[in-house]
């Protein structure tokens, strides 16, 4: 499952990014304070690796110049604003699995893409051409089955949706880079790791060590 398109709206300095494509490498270019970091932070909250980072809060995140107007619309009963819309393209293995789960009534062109939505309701909503407005709710990404709120699905479609929810990628956001020292005492590193007193420079070194050992383990097979 590969992220291919993104649109960010109503978040910090971003009123509407308009939809843009994502490739293997995507570079954001712009002046300071133009919204590059805000865009990445919003996308991270769509499905963050640390679940506690996933909430949008209007008083903090909604564009300040229109916050009062937005608050009045909420008071009048309008639904919370959307922030992230992300489209994913499924690979051939995922499509084949969905064919088996969903049955022949869903042709391949209806199974090739999904779109996730999230905003100030802090609900992750799923849409595709064959399933609409379904919510990811539990930590195990099971499906909310409230027929009064969401469209009813056949058993096959439910199975397909549960399969997809388990494959939605997690986002990792970081904005600091730890630098390696020129040399390090390995015994001291082992002690710091055991005592949970790691230095910032220890993290990239440990990452390299773990990478080497995992590669050796992989090569042994």
């Amino acid at each position: 499952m590969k992220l291919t398109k993104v649109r960010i709206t109503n978040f910090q300095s971003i009123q509407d990014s308009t939809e843009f494509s994502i490739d293997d490498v995507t570079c954001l270019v712009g002046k300071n304070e133009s919204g590059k970091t805000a865009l990445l932070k919003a996308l991270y909250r769509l499905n963050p690796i640390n679940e506690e980072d996933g909430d949008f809060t209007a008083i903090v995140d909604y564009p300040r110049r229109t916050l009062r107007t937005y608050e009045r619309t909420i008071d009048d009963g309008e639904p919370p604003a959307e922030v992230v819309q992300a489209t994913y393209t499924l690979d051939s293995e995922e499509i084949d699995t969905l064919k088996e789960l969903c049955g022949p009534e869903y042709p391949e062109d209806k199974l090739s893409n999904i779109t996730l939505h999230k905003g100030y309701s802090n609900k992750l909503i799923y849409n595709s051409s064959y399933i609409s407005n379904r919510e990811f709710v539990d930590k195990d990404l099971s499906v909310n089955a409230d027929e009064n709120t969401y469209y009813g699905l056949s058993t096959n479609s439910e199975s397909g949706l549960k399969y997809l929810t388990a494959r939605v990628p997690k986002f990792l956001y970081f904005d600091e880079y730890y630098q390696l020292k020129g040399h390090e005492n390995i015994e001291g590193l082992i002690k710091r790791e055991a005592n949970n007193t790691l230095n910032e420079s220890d993290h990239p070194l440990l990452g390299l060590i773990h990478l080497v050992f995992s590669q050796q383990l992989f090569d042994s097979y």
Side-chain angles (χ1 to χ4, degrees):
M1 188 180 297
K2 182 178 180 181
L3 180 67
T4 52
K5 294 180 181 179
V6 172
R7 181 182 181 185
I8 306 297
T9 55
N10 307 307
F11 184 74
Q12 296 183 4
S13 61
I14 302 174
Q15 201 72 43
D16 188 345
S17 70
T18 69
E19 187 175 71
F20 59 95
S21 297
I22 302 291
D23 210 328
D24 291 340
V25 177
T26 301
C27 180
L28 303 178
V29 180
K31 298 179 180 179
N32 289 343
E33 306 300 326
S34 62
K36 302 185 299 296
T37 299
L39 189 149
L40 294 175
K41 287 182 176 180
L43 183 58
Y44 169 61
R45 295 190 202 180
L46 178 69
N47 197 28
I49 195 167
N50 297 316
E51 293 182 4
E52 61 270 20
D53 296 338
D55 285 352
F56 294 102
T57 305
I59 192 67
V60 176
D61 298 320
Y62 200 88
R64 304 301 300 173
R65 62 185 179 277
T66 55
L67 176 60
R68 290 295 180 87
T69 301
Y70 172 68
E71 289 176 331
R72 286 195 292 269
T73 66
I74 295 297
D75 291 340
D76 291 338
E78 292 296 318
E82 184 174 282
V83 177
V84 185
Q85 175 182 303
T87 300
Y88 293 82
T89 298
L90 278 57
D91 61 33
S92 57
E93 179 183 345
E94 291 166 332
I95 292 174
D96 289 342
T97 301
L98 282 175
K99 285 180 183 178
E100 295 177 6
L101 292 172
C102 298
E105 67 268 29
Y106 298 115
E108 183 171 326
D109 61 344
K110 289 189 175 184
L111 303 174
S112 58
N113 293 286
I114 65 169
T115 302
L116 300 184
H117 304 260
K118 191 174 183 181
Y120 292 99
S121 68
N122 289 311
K123 297 177 180 179
L124 189 57
I125 305 297
Y126 169 102
N127 271 282
S128 78
S129 56
Y130 75 105
I131 298 176
S132 299
N133 297 336
R134 296 302 301 238
E135 177 191 346
F136 298 155
V137 286
D138 298 331
K139 289 184 179 179
D140 64 354
L141 295 179
S142 60
V143 179
N144 187 319
D146 183 352
E147 298 287 335
N148 296 320
T149 305
Y150 303 103
Y151 293 97
L153 299 174
S154 68
T155 301
N156 288 344
S157 295
E158 285 284 5
S159 298
L161 181 54
K162 289 180 179 180
Y163 167 75
L164 288 176
T165 60
R167 298 186 65 84
V168 174
K170 292 283 188 179
F171 286 104
L172 174 65
Y173 174 85
F174 58 92
D175 56 8
E176 294 183 1
Y177 297 87
Y178 298 140
Q179 293 185 343
L180 283 166
K181 291 183 179 179
H183 58 86
E184 187 56 80
N185 183 309
I186 296 300
E187 290 184 358
L189 174 64
I190 293 172
K191 289 180 180 178
R192 290 194 297 276
E193 185 175 29
N195 296 329
N196 197 27
T197 57
L198 291 171
N199 300 322
E200 289 185 351
S201 61
D202 292 335
H203 294 286
L205 178 56
L206 283 171
L208 289 173
I209 291 171
H210 294 158
L211 179 63
V212 168
F213 279 101
S214 64
Q215 186 62 45
Q216 289 178 343
L217 180 63
F218 177 79
D219 291 342
S220 68
Y221 287 97

